[in-house]
């Protein structure tokens, strides 16, 4: 049996064709019993059958294989479950007959509380706490519910039967065909599914309300939620019904199933999961309350529903062959969700926000510890970590870059062809490239392999030299180091106007182009020397651009005169910020550019400006602490104009983007200590405490109000903090709870930060939401690290705990939990799920010293786990990047004068 241990994939001598699964969950004892009969095709001589199973008790006497043709029944001589490899090995005394047969197994398991496999989620009904049973199988956790071939290429059909309490709703991928009630129990049987992968199988059992609609071609669409919340499902229902119709046309293939159920789960690790015909969501990603949800919540529901329904074609109908091609699922679904949202809500200008996706991808992919889009996966434990910004956001960005290069119509036709060809089967990246190459006539394989098979991306340096534009590409690394990569770069550029546009493929390391030949007669000769030149027009390419100083100066002028598109204004700022972090540009040059954006009105540009200002404040605090107040004043000056334009209350007919911007701008002013904002927020919060429906504290400004309250809260001034906890405890709206949890650690008092972090680990906070308390305020950075690793006791940090530094704050509120390290507790709760990686990155990444990087590394030598290995390396790299940036900023000669001038500049 040992030959099967330590292998990344299951052996190929048995191929599953059909599963007949019966499950009986007990929601009181939180256990389940089950049986599975798998139609197998034995295709090679073997005396073993090897499949996946984990955390199950298999009844060895129940295991049998029945050969179809001879009806011969053989029993295994040995049944062994190897938990470390998550495999069940059946050894037979004789060879298993080649051909078709049925493998039967009975098993038992636990409805765990770790939000994966077959698990329990809690909810309240009529004041009573109850359990529901939920499945979450992606990437490799179907094996925790029933023994199976738990790999995406092992597609089969599924016939599911559930034995459940008769008063409960029981859902699965397919419609119910029969329901038999027998006293307090009922047996529910479902239609057999089409061929699909195990990670898409789904079961949910609990008490639910629903709202229902139908698509124009008769597909029944329902949104399920907790009893009493049905009205909150109406917006998602509208989006889903319209989106299914849109995708049917876009992919030129009907939705394959007779129904689409979407359900809100109170305890859910991811945002949502695209199970075929039964999509599961966090409540915050599916439910929308007209009175208490913000504009940003509405947009999130629309884009997440669009993403999950795209998977019904791209992922479920056509599935990646192995996790190496996860990006085919996630990158494409991310990209096409923007297409759907833009079609449904054109006034949202959602494509203008796509640059956020690219930026998140660029930031992760600028690390030496990044990974290629097509990443080797050698163990199931490695899969969770690649559900990251590379698979989702870089994946979506290179798809957008390719669509822009090929043209929308050619791209769509080729996609439809790809889906028809690979429907009900599996595909690899090369299959998509082949379809697009065939449909467009362009060398897509050659163009795209440099983007998916190697990690990273280029920075394209541009300068003017003797009437020539010189382009040079090199790998961009946020550390400032030199990389070895080279790409086929689709370069687009504009000269002084969006009417004068050129594009070409930069395939060599460098290339020089004659400006007059490029622009022809479109620009007069004397204008060429003074025209602004913008490379990577509208940021459709996944690369950064570095301009020489004369070109940069012309672009600053173009920004000041509002001559550039929204995406280009965003891109120039974001590229300079990245170059500044990599020490290829000075912080002085960055803040001077930021000053040119004071009159900016577009949401996405200002949102990024706010994000950058937060990062600059943290770096300044480490590098030039004496200047922090000047930086804060500069940022207040930068955002005050927009805050005054928007005001505190929604205006009749205002845009969706302005509604989102108001909250972000006011939050920023509160973070930077703007006294009038803090005072006004406090007044509105008091009005909200007196009347939860007051128009003085609309959902779009509540987060800003809560942050302002916490900015003024401390251990000795607890009223605001206690009031927020009261609101948290009284609301049953998940989005409100998240707004509060995301604000609590914004206090500048380290002692109160510590109390907040301990509250996060209390039973009052659902496991999926604990991470909302991180990262903390800058003042809470050291506290968060000590909290993560320190024993959770009533002793102060540094007193009675060997090797722990005394940071000058106490932990006398840590006595609510068993004595164990918080990290051990977190590790036990989140195990190998992707949520655990967020604890590491949120706590570690904000540091900015080499010494701290060494301390963190030493801690995780004895406390690490395979599931955080990649994230830990990335976080430590970020710490070292910050440390080098801090040293660079300390040596800038012009920074003091620049920031003081900007802080008090009169506009």
């Amino acid at each position: 049996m040992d030959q099967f241990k330590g292998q990344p994939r299951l052996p190929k001598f048995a191929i599953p064709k059909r599963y007949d699964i019966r499950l009986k969950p007990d929601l009181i004892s939180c256990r389940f019993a089950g049986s599975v009969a798998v139609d197998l095709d034995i295709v090679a001589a073997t005396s073993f059958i090897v499949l996946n199973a984990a955390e199950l008790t298999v009844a060895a006497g129940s295991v049998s294989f029945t050969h179809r043709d001879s009806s011969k029944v053989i029993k295994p001589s040995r049944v062994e479950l190897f938990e470390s490899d998550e495999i069940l090995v059946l050894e037979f005394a004789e060879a298993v007959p080649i051909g078709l047969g049925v493998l039967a197994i009975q098993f038992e398991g636990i409805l765990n509380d770790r939000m994966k496999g077959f698990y329990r989620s809690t909810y309240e009904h009529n004041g009573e706490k109850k359990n529901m049973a939920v499945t979450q199988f992606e990437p490799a956790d179907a094996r925790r519910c029933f023994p199976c071939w738990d790999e995406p290429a092992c597609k089969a059909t599924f016939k599911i039967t559930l034995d459940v309490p008769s008063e409960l709703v029981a859902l699965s991928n397919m419609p119910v065909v029969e329901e038999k009630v027998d006293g307090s129990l009922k047996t529910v049987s479902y239609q057999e599914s089409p061929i699909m992968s195990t990670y898409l199988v789904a079961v949910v059992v609990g008490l639910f309300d629903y709202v229902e609609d139908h698509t124009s071609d008769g597909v029944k669409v329902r949104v399920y939620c907790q009893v009493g919340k049905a009205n909150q499902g109406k917006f998602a229902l509208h989006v889903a019904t319209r989106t299914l119709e849109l995708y049917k046309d876009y992919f030129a293939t009907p939705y394959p199933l007779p129904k689409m159920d979407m359900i809100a789960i109170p305890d859910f690790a991811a945002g949502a999961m695209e199970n075929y015909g039964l999509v599961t969501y966090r409540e915050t990603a599916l439910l929308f309350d007209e009175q208490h949800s913000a504009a940003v919540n509405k947009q999130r529901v629309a884009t997440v529903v669009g993403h999950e329904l795209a998977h019904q074609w791209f992922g479920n109908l056509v599935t990646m062959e192995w996790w190496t091609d996860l990006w085919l699922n996630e990158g494409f679904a991310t990209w096409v969700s923007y297409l759907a949202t833009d079609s449904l809500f054109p006034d949202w200008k959602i494509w203008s926000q796509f640059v956020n996706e690219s930026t998140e991808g660029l930031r992760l992919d600028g690390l030496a510890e990044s990974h290629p889009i097509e990443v080797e996966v050698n163990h199931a434990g490695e899969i969770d970590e690649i559900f990251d910004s590379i698979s989702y956001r870089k994946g979506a960005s290179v798809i957008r870059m390719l669509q822009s290069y090929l043209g929308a119509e050619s791209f769509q036709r080729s996609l439809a062809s790809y889906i028809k060809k690979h429907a009900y089967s599996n595909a690899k990246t090369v299959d998509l490239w082949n379809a697009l190459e065939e449909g467009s006539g362009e060398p897509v394989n050659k163009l795209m392999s440099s983007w998916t098979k190697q990690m990273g991306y280029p920075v394209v340096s541009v300068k003017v030299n003797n009437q020539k534009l010189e382009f040079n590409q090199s790998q961009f690394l946020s550390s400032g180091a030199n990389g070895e990569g080279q790409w086929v770069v689709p370069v687009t550029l504009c000269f002084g106007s969006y009417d004068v546009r050129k594009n070409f493929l930069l395939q060599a390391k460098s290339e020089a182009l004659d400006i007059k030949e490029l622009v022809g007669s479109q620009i007069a000769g004397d204008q060429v020397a003074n025209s602004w030149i913008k490379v990577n027009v509208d940021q459709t390419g996944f690369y950064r651009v570095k301009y020489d100083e004369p070109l940069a100066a012309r672009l600053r002028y173009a920004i000041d005169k509002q001559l550039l598109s929204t995406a280009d204004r965003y891109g120039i700022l974001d590229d300079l910020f990245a170059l500044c972090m990599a020490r290829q540009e000075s912080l002085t040059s960055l803040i001077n550019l930021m000053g040119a954006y004071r009159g900016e009105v577009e949401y996405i540009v200002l949102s990024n400006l706010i994000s950058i200002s937060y990062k600059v404040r943290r770096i300044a605090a480490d590098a030039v602490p004496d200047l922090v107040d000047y930086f804060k004043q500069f940022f207040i000056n930068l955002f005050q104009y927009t805050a005054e334009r928007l005001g505190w209350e929604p205006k009749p007919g205002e845009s969706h983007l302005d509604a989102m911007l108001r909250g972000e701008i006011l939050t920023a002013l509160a973070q930077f200590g703007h006294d009038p904002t803090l005072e006004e927020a406090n007044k509105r919060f008091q009005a909200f405490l007196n009347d939860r429906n007051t128009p003085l504290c609309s959902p779009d400004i509540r987060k800003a109000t809560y942050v302002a309250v916490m900015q003024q809260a401390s251990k000795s001034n607890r009223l605001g903090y206690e009031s927020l906890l009261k609101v948290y405890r009284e609301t049953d709206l998940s989005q409100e709870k998240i707004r509060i949890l995301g604000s609590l650690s914004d206090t500048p008092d380290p002692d109160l930060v510590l109390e907040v972090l301990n509250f996060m680990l209390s039973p009052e906070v659902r496991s999926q939401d604990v991470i909302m308390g991180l990262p903390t305020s800058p003042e809470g950075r050291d506290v968060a690290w000590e909290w993560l690793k320190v024993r959770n006791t009533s002793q102060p940090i540094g007193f009675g705990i060997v090797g722990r530094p005394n940071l000058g704050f106490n932990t006398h509120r840590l006595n609510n939990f068993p004595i164990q390290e918080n990290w051990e507790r977190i590790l036990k709760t989140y195990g190998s799920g992707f949520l655990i990686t967020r604890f590491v990155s949120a706590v570690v990444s904000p540091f900015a010293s080499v010494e701290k990087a060494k301390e963190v590394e030493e801690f995780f030598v004895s406390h690490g786990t395979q599931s955080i290995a990649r994230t830990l390396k990335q976080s430590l790299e970020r710490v070292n990047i910050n440390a080098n940036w801090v040293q660079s900023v300390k040596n800038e000669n012009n920074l003091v004068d620049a920031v003081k001038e900007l802080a008090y500049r009169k506009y």
Side-chain angles (χ1 to χ4, degrees), residues 68 87 357 359 396 405 528 542-543 592 598 759 777 879 907:
R68 192 179 72 176
I87 56 172
E357 305 289 349
T359 292
Y405 179 75
V528 170
F542 193 78
Y543 56 92
N592 279 327
R598 186 177 183 274
F759 173 73
S777 62
V879 176
Y907 291 92

Side-chain angles (χ1 to χ4, degrees), residues 8-174:
R9 306 280 290 267
L10 293 171
K12 300 284 195 291
F13 38 65
I15 299 172
K17 298 293 185 182
R18 178 184 186 271
Y19 291 82
D20 192 334
I21 302 165
R22 186 161 188 160
L23 297 169
K24 184 179 182 180
D26 184 329
L27 297 175
I28 306 300
S29 68
C30 295
R31 299 190 62 83
F32 65 91
S35 63
V36 62
V38 191
D39 289 8
L40 282 182
D41 188 1
I42 307 298
V43 295
T46 179
S47 56
F48 294 93
I49 293 178
V50 184
L51 64 164
N52 293 114
E55 299 170 15
L56 296 174
T57 303
V58 172
S62 74
V63 181
S64 66
F65 180 81
T66 305
H67 188 239
R68 192 179 72 176
D69 290 344
S70 65
S71 299
K72 181 180 181 181
V73 179
I74 59 173
K75 307 276 282 183
S77 56
R78 188 176 166 200
V79 176
E80 195 81 41
L81 181 61
F82 295 100
E83 280 291 352
S84 60
D85 290 282
E86 300 182 345
I87 56 172
L88 176 66
V89 182
L90 312 176
E91 183 174 6
F92 296 85
E94 56 187 295
V96 182
I98 286 181
L100 297 175
V102 177
L103 174 68
I105 305 173
Q106 292 178 13
F107 52 89
E108 291 183 345
I110 294 172
L111 290 172
N112 69 72
D113 60 356
R114 303 198 317 277
M115 297 181 287
K116 66 180 187 176
F118 201 13
Y119 73 93
R120 63 184 184 267
S121 175
T122 61
Y123 64 106
E124 278 195 8
H125 181 64
N126 294 333
E128 183 184 355
K129 189 175 180 181
K130 292 181 174 291
N131 292 318
M132 66 175 72
V134 186
T135 56
Q136 169 58 40
F137 291 163
E138 190 180 32
D141 292 313
R143 62 193 68 179
R144 285 174 169 75
C145 181
F146 58 95
C148 58
W149 278 256
D150 203 9
E151 297 181 359
C154 298
K155 284 189 161 186
T157 61
F158 293 83
K159 182 79 176 73
I160 294 175
T161 304
L162 301 177
D163 296 308
V164 299
S166 54
E167 76 276 10
L168 299 183
V169 175
L171 303 172
S172 188
N173 305 82
M174 300 299 290

Side-chain angles (χ1 to χ4, degrees), residues 709-864:
V709 167
M710 289 309 298
Q711 283 288 311
Q712 301 166 88
S714 64
K715 289 286 279 190
S716 58
N717 180 21
R718 305 175 53 83
L719 184 59
Y721 171 59
E722 299 287 0
S723 298
L724 272 174
L725 289 183
K726 184 173 187 290
V727 177
Y728 176 85
R729 288 162 178 150
E730 289 176 356
T731 184
D732 70 343
L733 183 68
S734 296
Q735 289 159 350
E736 193 71 81
K737 287 184 180 291
I738 292 298
R739 275 195 287 264
I740 295 167
L741 293 176
S743 308
L744 291 178
S745 59
D746 259 314
T747 171
D749 181 349
D751 280 343
L752 190 52
V753 168
L754 187 59
E755 188 173 334
V756 167
L757 293 175
N758 289 323
F759 173 73
M760 293 290 171
L761 281 186
S762 77
E764 290 194 69
V765 179
R766 292 187 185 271
S767 294
Q768 81 228 11
D769 297 333
V770 174
I771 194 65
M772 298 309 299
L774 297 165
T776 68
S777 62
E779 295 84 356
R781 181 177 63 179
D782 290 312
V783 184
W785 169 236
E786 291 304 318
W787 166 83
L788 186 75
K789 62 179 181 160
V790 80
R791 284 187 179 276
N792 213 336
T793 74
S794 57
Q795 296 170 304
I797 289 177
F799 293 90
I801 303 174
V802 177
R804 305 294 191 215
N806 177 9
L807 297 183
F809 50 85
N810 63 55
T811 63
H812 61 267
R813 302 187 67 85
L814 286 172
N815 55 1
N816 299 323
F817 309 109
I819 296 177
Q820 60 177 324
E821 287 191 349
N822 282 339
W823 175 247
E824 289 173 4
R825 185 162 173 231
I826 289 164
L827 200 57
K828 183 180 177 183
T829 302
Y830 299 96
S832 62
F834 74 91
L835 278 175
I836 198 166
T837 65
R838 294 183 61 188
F839 281 94
V840 175
S841 58
V843 172
V844 174
S845 297
F847 285 115
S849 75
V850 174
E851 295 74 24
K852 188 60 73 172
K854 288 176 182 172
E855 180 189 329
V856 171
E857 194 167 12
E858 285 169 10
F859 174 80
F860 282 110
V861 165
S862 55
H863 294 77

Side-chain angles (χ1 to χ4, degrees), residues 458-604:
V459 53
V460 176
S461 300
V462 191
K463 66 178 181 179
V464 177
N465 188 11
N466 293 328
Q467 293 299 304
K468 287 186 180 294
L469 262 185
E470 294 183 354
F471 297 86
N472 183 73
Q473 66 157 300
S474 58
Q475 183 173 353
F476 177 84
L477 288 167
S478 295
S479 64
N482 295 317
E484 298 298 319
Q486 187 171 329
W487 289 262
V488 180
V489 187
V491 174
T492 54
L493 58 156
C494 283
F495 294 81
S497 162
Y498 286 93
D499 295 329
V500 185
R501 186 183 299 223
K502 295 291 174 182
N503 52 58
F504 69 97
L505 289 179
L506 176 63
Q507 301 187 58
K509 279 279 188 184
S510 59
E511 194 164 337
L513 301 174
D514 187 281
I515 294 176
K516 288 181 180 176
E517 286 182 18
L518 278 172
V519 301
S521 59
Q522 296 176 78
I523 298 181
D526 58 335
Q527 291 180 298
V528 170
N530 298 312
S531 293
W532 54 264
I533 298 173
K534 173 64 175 69
V535 177
N536 193 12
V537 179
D538 288 332
Q539 300 303 112
T540 55
F542 193 78
Y543 56 92
R544 297 204 180 276
V545 182
K546 181 181 180 181
Y547 301 92
D548 68 1
E549 181 48 38
L551 289 175
R554 293 184 214 169
L555 285 170
R556 284 195 296 271
Y557 172 84
I559 290 167
D560 193 50
K561 297 299 180 186
Q562 300 180 336
L563 302 174
L564 301 179
S565 70
T566 300
D568 282 336
R569 295 196 305 279
Y570 177 105
I572 290 164
L573 173 66
D574 201 65
D575 285 350
L576 189 65
F577 169 66
L579 291 163
C580 179
M581 186 191 299
R583 295 168 291 125
Q584 295 181 29
E585 295 282 358
S586 67
L587 182 57
T588 305
S589 66
L590 175 62
I591 62 173
N592 279 327
L593 177 66
M594 291 170 76
Y597 285 82
R598 186 177 183 274
E600 181 60 59
V601 296
E602 290 292 341
Y603 165 76
I604 193 61

